[in-house]
Coordinates of all heavy atoms in Angstrom, one line a residue:
Q1 N 92.1 112.2 91.0 CA 93.3 111.5 90.8 C 93.1 110.0 91.1 O 94.1 109.3 91.4 CB 94.4 112.1 91.7 CG 94.8 113.5 91.3 CD 96.0 114.0 92.2 OE1 96.1 113.7 93.4 NE2 96.8 114.8 91.6
N2 N 91.9 109.5 90.9 CA 91.6 108.1 91.2 C 91.3 107.3 90.0 O 90.7 106.2 90.2 CB 90.4 108.1 92.2 CG 89.1 108.6 91.6 OD1 89.1 109.1 90.5 ND2 88.0 108.5 92.4
T3 N 91.8 107.7 88.9 CA 91.7 106.8 87.7 C 93.1 106.7 87.1 O 94.0 107.6 87.3 CB 90.8 107.4 86.6 OG1 91.4 108.6 86.1 CG2 89.4 107.8 87.2
P4 N 93.3 105.7 86.3 CA 94.7 105.5 85.7 C 95.0 106.7 84.8 O 96.2 107.1 84.7 CB 94.5 104.3 84.8 CG 93.5 103.5 85.5 CD 92.5 104.5 86.0
E5 N 94.0 107.4 84.2 CA 94.3 108.5 83.3 C 94.7 109.8 84.1 O 95.4 110.6 83.6 CB 93.1 108.8 82.4 CG 92.8 107.6 81.4 CD 92.1 106.5 82.1 OE1 91.6 106.6 83.2 OE2 92.0 105.4 81.5
T6 N 94.2 109.9 85.3 CA 94.4 111.1 86.1 C 95.4 111.0 87.2 O 95.7 112.0 87.8 CB 93.1 111.6 86.6 OG1 92.5 110.7 87.5 CG2 92.1 111.9 85.5
N7 N 95.8 109.8 87.5 CA 96.7 109.5 88.7 C 98.1 109.8 88.2 O 98.6 109.1 87.3 CB 96.5 108.1 89.2 CG 97.3 107.9 90.4 OD1 98.5 107.5 90.4 ND2 96.7 108.0 91.6
P8 N 98.8 110.7 88.9 CA 100.2 111.0 88.4 C 101.2 109.9 88.6 O 102.1 109.7 87.8 CB 100.6 112.2 89.3 CG 99.7 112.1 90.5 CD 98.4 111.6 90.0
Y9 N 101.0 109.1 89.6 CA 101.9 107.9 89.8 C 101.7 106.9 88.7 O 102.7 106.2 88.3 CB 101.7 107.3 91.2 CG 102.0 108.3 92.3 CD1 101.2 108.5 93.4 CD2 103.2 109.1 92.2 CE1 101.5 109.4 94.4 CE2 103.5 110.0 93.3 CZ 102.6 110.1 94.3 OH 102.9 111.0 95.3
M10 N 100.5 106.6 88.3 CA 100.2 105.7 87.2 C 100.8 106.2 85.9 O 101.4 105.4 85.1 CB 98.7 105.4 87.1 CG 98.4 104.4 86.0 SD 99.1 102.7 86.3 CE 97.8 102.0 87.4
Q11 N 100.6 107.5 85.7 CA 101.2 108.0 84.4 C 102.7 108.0 84.4 O 103.3 107.7 83.4 CB 100.7 109.5 84.3 CG 99.2 109.6 83.9 CD 98.8 108.8 82.7 OE1 99.4 109.0 81.6 NE2 97.9 107.9 82.8
K12 N 103.3 108.2 85.6 CA 104.8 108.1 85.7 C 105.2 106.7 85.5 O 106.2 106.4 84.8 CB 105.2 108.6 87.0 CG 106.7 108.6 87.2 CD 107.2 109.2 88.5 CE 108.7 109.2 88.7 NZ 109.1 109.7 90.0
F13 N 104.5 105.7 86.0 CA 104.8 104.3 85.9 C 104.8 103.9 84.4 O 105.7 103.3 83.9 CB 103.7 103.5 86.6 CG 103.8 102.0 86.3 CD1 104.7 101.2 86.9 CD2 102.9 101.4 85.3 CE1 104.8 99.8 86.5 CE2 102.9 100.1 85.0 CZ 103.9 99.3 85.6
L14 N 103.7 104.4 83.7 CA 103.6 104.1 82.2 C 104.7 104.7 81.4 O 105.2 104.2 80.4 CB 102.3 104.5 81.7 CG 101.1 103.7 82.3 CD1 99.8 104.3 81.8 CD2 101.1 102.2 81.9
A15 N 105.2 105.9 81.9 CA 106.3 106.5 81.2 C 107.7 105.9 81.4 O 108.6 106.0 80.6 CB 106.4 108.0 81.7
L16 N 107.8 105.1 82.5 CA 109.1 104.5 82.9 C 109.2 103.0 82.5 O 110.2 102.4 82.8 CB 109.3 104.6 84.4 CG 109.5 106.1 84.9 CD1 109.6 106.1 86.4 CD2 110.7 106.7 84.3
T17 N 108.1 102.4 82.0 CA 108.2 101.0 81.5 C 107.6 100.9 80.1 O 106.8 101.6 79.7 CB 107.4 100.1 82.5 OG1 107.5 98.8 82.1 CG2 106.0 100.6 82.6
T18 N 108.1 99.9 79.4 CA 107.6 99.6 78.1 C 106.4 98.6 78.2 O 105.8 98.4 77.1 CB 108.7 99.0 77.2 OG1 109.3 97.8 77.9 CG2 109.8 100.0 77.0
W19 N 106.2 98.1 79.3 CA 105.0 97.2 79.5 C 103.7 97.9 79.4 O 103.6 99.0 80.0 CB 105.1 96.4 80.8 CG 104.0 95.5 81.1 CD1 103.4 94.6 80.3 CD2 103.3 95.3 82.4 NE1 102.4 93.9 80.9 CE2 102.4 94.3 82.2 CE3 103.5 95.8 83.6 CZ2 101.5 93.8 83.2 CZ3 102.7 95.4 84.7 CH2 101.7 94.4 84.5
R20 N 102.7 97.4 78.7 CA 101.4 98.1 78.6 C 100.4 97.1 79.1 O 99.9 96.3 78.3 CB 101.1 98.5 77.2 CG 102.0 99.7 76.7 CD 101.6 100.9 77.6 NE 102.5 102.1 77.3 CZ 103.6 102.4 78.0 NH1 104.0 101.6 79.1 NH2 104.3 103.4 77.8
P21 N 100.1 97.1 80.4 CA 99.1 96.2 80.9 C 97.7 96.3 80.2 O 97.3 97.4 79.8 CB 99.0 96.6 82.4 CG 100.3 97.3 82.7 CD 100.6 98.0 81.4
Q22 N 97.0 95.2 80.1 CA 95.7 95.2 79.4 C 94.7 95.9 80.3 O 93.7 96.4 79.8 CB 95.3 93.8 79.1 CG 96.2 93.1 78.0 CD 96.0 91.7 77.9 OE1 96.4 90.9 78.7 NE2 95.3 91.3 76.8
L23 N 94.8 95.8 81.6 CA 93.9 96.4 82.6 C 94.7 97.2 83.6 O 95.8 96.8 84.0 CB 93.1 95.4 83.3 CG 92.1 94.5 82.5 CD1 91.4 93.5 83.4 CD2 91.1 95.4 81.8
L24 N 94.2 98.4 83.9 CA 94.9 99.3 84.9 C 93.9 99.7 85.9 O 92.7 99.9 85.6 CB 95.5 100.5 84.2 CG 96.6 100.3 83.2 CD1 96.9 101.6 82.4 CD2 97.9 99.8 83.9
A25 N 94.4 99.9 87.1 CA 93.5 100.5 88.2 C 94.4 101.2 89.2 O 95.6 100.9 89.4 CB 92.7 99.4 88.9
V26 N 93.8 102.2 89.9 CA 94.5 102.9 91.0 C 93.5 102.8 92.2 O 92.3 103.1 92.0 CB 94.9 104.3 90.7 CG1 96.0 104.3 89.6 CG2 93.7 105.2 90.3
F27 N 94.0 102.6 93.4 CA 93.1 102.5 94.6 C 93.8 103.4 95.7 O 95.0 103.4 95.8 CB 93.0 101.1 95.1 CG 92.4 100.1 94.0 CD1 93.2 99.0 93.6 CD2 91.2 100.4 93.4 CE1 92.7 98.2 92.7 CE2 90.7 99.5 92.5 CZ 91.4 98.4 92.1
G28 N 92.9 104.0 96.4 CA 93.4 104.8 97.6 C 93.9 103.8 98.6 O 93.5 102.7 98.8
G29 N 94.9 104.3 99.4 CA 95.5 103.4 100.4 C 95.0 103.7 101.8 O 93.8 104.1 101.9
V30 N 95.8 103.4 102.8 CA 95.4 103.6 104.2 C 96.3 104.6 104.8 O 97.5 104.6 104.6 CB 95.4 102.2 104.9 CG1 96.7 101.6 105.0 CG2 94.8 102.4 106.3
L31 N 95.8 105.4 105.7 CA 96.6 106.4 106.4 C 96.5 106.0 107.9 O 95.5 106.1 108.6 CB 96.0 107.8 106.3 CG 96.8 108.9 107.0 CD1 98.2 109.0 106.5 CD2 96.1 110.2 106.8
D32 N 97.7 105.4 108.4 CA 97.7 105.0 109.8 C 99.1 105.4 110.3 O 100.1 104.7 110.3 CB 97.6 103.4 109.8 CG 97.6 102.9 111.2 OD1 97.7 103.7 112.2 OD2 97.6 101.6 111.4
Y33 N 99.1 106.6 110.9 CA 100.4 107.2 111.4 C 101.1 106.3 112.4 O 102.3 106.2 112.4 CB 100.1 108.6 112.0 CG 99.8 109.7 111.0 CD1 98.5 110.2 110.9 CD2 100.8 110.1 110.1 CE1 98.3 111.3 110.0 CE2 100.5 111.1 109.2 CZ 99.3 111.7 109.2 OH 99.0 112.7 108.3
Q34 N 100.4 105.7 113.3 CA 101.0 104.9 114.3 C 101.7 103.6 113.8 O 102.6 103.0 114.4 CB 100.0 104.5 115.4 CG 99.4 105.7 116.1 CD 100.5 106.5 116.7 OE1 101.4 106.1 117.5 NE2 100.5 107.8 116.5
R35 N 101.4 103.3 112.5 CA 102.0 102.1 112.0 C 103.3 102.4 111.3 O 104.2 101.5 111.0 CB 101.1 101.5 110.9 CG 101.4 100.1 110.5 CD 100.3 99.5 109.7 NE 100.6 98.1 109.4 CZ 99.8 97.3 108.7 NH1 98.6 97.8 108.2 NH2 100.1 96.1 108.4
Y36 N 103.6 103.7 111.0 CA 104.8 104.1 110.2 C 105.9 104.3 111.2 O 105.8 104.6 112.4 CB 104.5 105.4 109.5 CG 103.3 105.5 108.6 CD1 102.5 106.6 108.6 CD2 103.0 104.4 107.8 CE1 101.4 106.6 107.7 CE2 101.9 104.4 107.0 CZ 101.1 105.5 107.0 OH 100.0 105.6 106.2
G37 N 107.1 104.1 110.6 CA 108.3 104.5 111.3 C 108.4 106.0 111.4 O 107.7 106.7 110.8
P38 N 109.3 106.5 112.3 CA 109.4 107.9 112.5 C 109.6 108.8 111.2 O 109.0 109.8 111.1 CB 110.6 108.1 113.5 CG 110.7 106.8 114.2 CD 110.2 105.7 113.2

C-alpha cells in the first residue's frame, strides 16, 4: 500500500477531486502514541 496506485487513501483522494497532479507519492508516517490526544 506504499504506491499511489495501491494506496487506498490516494485512490480515494483522486476519486474526490478533479485535480490530476503531474507527480504523486505516498509516504509512511510516524507512530508516536504519547504525542496523540486521548
Side-chain angles (χ1 to χ4, degrees):
Q1 294 183 326
N2 64 356
T3 68
E5 295 78 15
T6 61
N7 185 275
Y9 298 133
M10 179 63 83
Q11 290 303 306
K12 183 177 180 181
F13 169 81
L14 294 173
L16 293 177
T17 179
T18 55
W19 179 41
R20 289 296 173 264
Q22 294 169 286
L23 295 177
L24 295 169
V26 295
F27 303 120
V30 62
L31 181 62
D32 183 0
Y33 285 113
Q34 295 305 307
R35 193 172 187 178
Y36 307 141

